Each structure stands twice: as structure tokens, then as C-alpha cells.
Amino acid sequence: MIAARDFVRALAEDNACFWRDRDVRLDPAADPARRLEQIRYRMRQGVYNELRSVELIAAWIPHVPEREIRDLLPGQLDDEHRHYRLLRERLITLGEDPDAYRPLPEWEALFDWLVACRTRPTLEKLAMFQFAGETQSCEGFETLIALATDVDPETAALYRDGILPDEYRHAAIGRRALTLLADTPSSQDVARAACHEMNERVFGAYRAHRARADRSA
Ligand SMILES: [Fe+2]
Ligand SMILES: [Fe+2]
């Protein structure tokens, strides 16, 4: 059997391979004006996603009996609520009305599904959201920051200093949960399958997001 720590490292590498060139929400080759529009689109959808993250963690907490993991979730909930407020305020400063934006149905469906997963075992839930989802969020924010630095440095700084450090902590909660709970071959199979399921769903949302952003341009 593979030790939990080695399993987590190998699964993180598998996930990184899956995501190579698949975050299609931003186009590094786009001209600056188009790039800025893609970043704004990400921010509008981000307000929705951060608030849904608050909702989903609140829904999950009563269904995480492992105290060591459950104790970490209220802090994450608090962070996601702060991210929601930061992004909302930034959009308002930029002259936008965040409440006028209609979230993409694909993102809505993804969060509805995650909330409905609350009664699944802790290992599966945290493999999906904190381990797979939040690790990919960190990658996505790194890309966003790199592509926003020249066209909107204030927004880049907000993501870099106000959001990204928290998201790295959330991804670490996922690694901790898997290291604690994925300690048998069958539990490792469960965690791997949950990651794949999440990755496929998130990739579907990314593709829909880009298609919608292109149509609104
Ligand atoms: Fe967040
Ligand atoms: Fe997060």
C-alpha cells in the first residue's frame, strides 16, 4: 500500500497534469483591452463563487465529524466571505453594479451539486473542494495576477495580497484531510475518483465561462 503522504503527493501531480492548459478562462495571447475584459468577467463571476463557497462550507460543517478537519472550516468560511466583500467593493469602485450580473448556470449547477454533496464522506468532499478545487483556484489566481499586473495593477494586488494567501491555506486543508483519511487502498481509490469527478465538472464550467465571456465581448 502507498503511504497516505506519498499518495497525496502523487494525486497532486496527477491533478496538475490534468489542468495543464485547461484553464481557458483567460487568454494570455489576447490584446490588453480584451484581457482586461476577461479579467472583469472573472471578477463578476468571482463575487458569486465566493459567496456560494461560504454557503457550501456552512452546509458541510455539520457533516464533517472529524474534529481536526471540522475545526479548520469556520476559518475558511470567514475567508471566503471576506473575498466576496473585497471583490464586490472592487467592482463598485470600478463603476460596476455587482448585483446586475447574472451568474453562469454552469457555475450555479456546480455549487448546487457541491452543496448537495454535504452528506458524502469527509474524504470525498474535501478531495473535491479543498484538495482539487482550491488547488486549481490557486493556479487560476496566479495566472490572473500575472495577466492583470499591466492592465489593472490594483486588482492584481487585491488578488495577490487579499485573496491568494488564504486560498493556499484552503488547499492545505484538503491535503491535510487526505493525509489523515486516505490511509487504505480503498480510501485512496475513493479520493482519486472524487478528484476526477470534481476536475471534470470544473473544466466544464471553465469552458462554459469562456464561451459566455466571448459572446458578451
Ligand atoms: Fe475565496
Ligand atoms: Fe477558498
Side-chain angles (χ1 to χ4, degrees), residues 116-136:
C117 287
R118 61 188 172 276
T119 54
R120 285 170 68 164
T122 300
L123 174 64
E124 285 183 51
K125 290 198 290 269
L126 272 80
M128 292 186 300
F129 190 64
Q130 280 83 355
F131 183 80
E134 295 282 40
T135 304
Q136 172 50 28

Side-chain angles (χ1 to χ4, degrees), residues 119-196:
T119 54
R120 285 170 68 164
T122 300
L123 174 64
E124 285 183 51
K125 290 198 290 269
L126 272 80
M128 292 186 300
F129 190 64
Q130 280 83 355
F131 183 80
E134 295 282 40
T135 304
Q136 172 50 28
S137 287
C138 293
E139 277 296 310
F141 287 137
E142 294 279 12
T143 305
L144 186 152
I145 291 162
L147 295 178
T149 299
D150 62 337
V151 291
D152 187 351
E154 276 186 60
T155 293
L158 180 142
Y159 276 103
R160 188 182 57 239
D161 304 330
I163 294 180
L164 187 61
D166 299 334
E167 302 299 0
Y168 275 114
R169 248 194 343 270
H170 305 163
I173 297 172
R175 289 197 300 277
R176 179 120 166 236
L178 264 61
T179 305
L180 269 175
L181 301 170
D183 56 355
T184 63
S186 61
S187 62
Q188 292 174 357
D189 288 345
V190 163
R192 192 180 297 106
C195 279
H196 289 170

Side-chain angles (χ1 to χ4, degrees), residues 50 53 76 79-81 83-84 134 141 163 166-167 170:
E50 298 287 358
S53 300
Q76 183 181 3
D79 292 340
E80 308 297 12
H81 190 225
H83 301 165
Y84 161 74
E134 295 282 40
F141 287 137
I163 294 180
D166 299 334
E167 302 299 0
H170 305 163

Side-chain angles (χ1 to χ4, degrees), residues 37-49 88 91 96-108 205 208-210 212-213 216:
E37 192 39 56
Q38 289 178 345
I39 290 162
R40 290 286 147 78
Y41 199 86
R42 273 278 295 277
M43 294 169 72
R44 292 177 204 122
Q45 183 61 44
V47 171
Y48 175 85
N49 290 4
R88 227 181 115 75
L91 282 172
E96 294 204 18
D97 173 8
D99 299 321
Y101 175 74
R102 282 177 60 85
L104 257 68
E106 291 80 4
W107 280 116
E108 242 177 317
H209 177 119
R210 176 62 185 278
R212 205 66 68 105
S216 72

